[in-house]
């Protein structure tokens, strides 16, 4: 079921500003501070973009910015639609399709995640090398979209060049970046310790509730994708205490300057590619 046409939403965006960035950045928890580095040209509330849902999660504002990070023109999305909010996959990935229709070629996805890898600490950042889709749904399910493949190759979902750019950005920001496999669950409950033990055996380094649908759709359209997680907590059973959204937000707050620097440096290096 097509609720809205991404082309219509992209046409609306094009009226907001004459800027035509090729890089879009989706800010998740731990990365919203990047907005303080952004020289804002214009912004538009999601409520004014046809097809964009209103985010219901605290810390997810629901605004799309046109601006510059350093010299690099960027679109920045503050807030995303999550599957756990009750949106269907089409809605969750509508912004991705809109960005592609707008003319974006590169997409940086950021998120908060729980750490499974024993070497990870809360407050670390992890560059995604691959993912495991455990959401129980695939955003490409449904009718074929004319001109786009149904059976999409995900051998290299997270672009090698952009991954390298992230590591360089980490170096410049004096951040040691972890790397690993992100496993996506539907949420919104956190995992049980038994689930986390199982996911670790499957090869997951971090677990979260977003990013994978957007990455899959972006690859269907042929966008280059990079993604980075803020490890806001150790996953259930690995962390000593219980898990809470406030812990996620507290860690995100503690490392917000690092997250912002990483994104800014990424955007600056991107311009030189
Ligand atoms: N599990 C799933 N999603 C998350 C977590 C977690 O531990 N932390 C932040 N997002």
């Amino acid at each position: 079921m097509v609720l809205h046409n991404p082309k219509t939403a992209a046409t609306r965006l094009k009226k907001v500003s004459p800027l035509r960035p090729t890089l879009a950045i989706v800010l998740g928890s731990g990365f919203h501070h990047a907005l303080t580095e952004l020289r804002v040209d214009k912004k538009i509330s999601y409520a004014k973009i046809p097809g964009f849902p209103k985010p219901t999660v605290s810390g997810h504002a629901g605004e799309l910015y046109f601006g510059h990070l350093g010299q690099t023109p960027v679109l920045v999305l503050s807030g995303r639609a999550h599957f756990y909010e009750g949106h269907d996959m089409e809605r969750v990935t509508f912004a991705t399709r809109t960005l592609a229709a707008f003319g974006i070629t590169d997409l940086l996805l950021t998120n908060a995640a729980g750490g499974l890898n024993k070497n990870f600490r809360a407050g670390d950042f992890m560059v995604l090398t691959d993912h495991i889709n455990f959401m129980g749904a695939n955003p490409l399910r449904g009718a074929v979209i004319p001109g786009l493949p149904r059976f999409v190759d995900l051998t290299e979902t997270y672009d090698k060049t952009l991954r390298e750019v992230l590591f360089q950005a980490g170096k410049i920001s004096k951040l040691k970046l972890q790397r690993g496999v992100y496993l996506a669950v539907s949420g919104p409950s956190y995992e049980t310790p038994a689930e986390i033990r199982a996911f670790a055996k499957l090869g997951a380094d971090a677990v979260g509730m977003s990013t994978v649908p957007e990455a899959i759709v972006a690859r269907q359209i042929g966008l280059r994708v990079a993604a980075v997680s803020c490890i806001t907590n150790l996953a259930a059973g690995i962390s000593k205490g219980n898990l809470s959204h406030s812990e996620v937000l507290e860690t995100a707050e503690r490392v917000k300057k690092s997250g912002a620097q990483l994104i800014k440096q990424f955007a600056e290096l991107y311009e030189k590619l």
Side-chain angles (χ1 to χ4, degrees), residues 112-115 185 189-191 196 207-209 230 232-236 243 248:
V185 291
S189 65
Y190 289 116
E191 302 69 38
I196 292 300
V207 59
M209 305 175 189
C230 174
T232 49
N233 58 284
L234 299 183
L243 266 54
V248 168

Side-chain angles (χ1 to χ4, degrees), residues 34-50:
L35 287 175
T36 61
E37 298 287 344
L38 185 71
R39 268 187 294 120
V40 178
D41 174 52
K42 288 273 159 50
K43 72 172 175 176
I44 178 170
S45 154
Y46 286 2
K48 293 195 173 139
I49 313 173

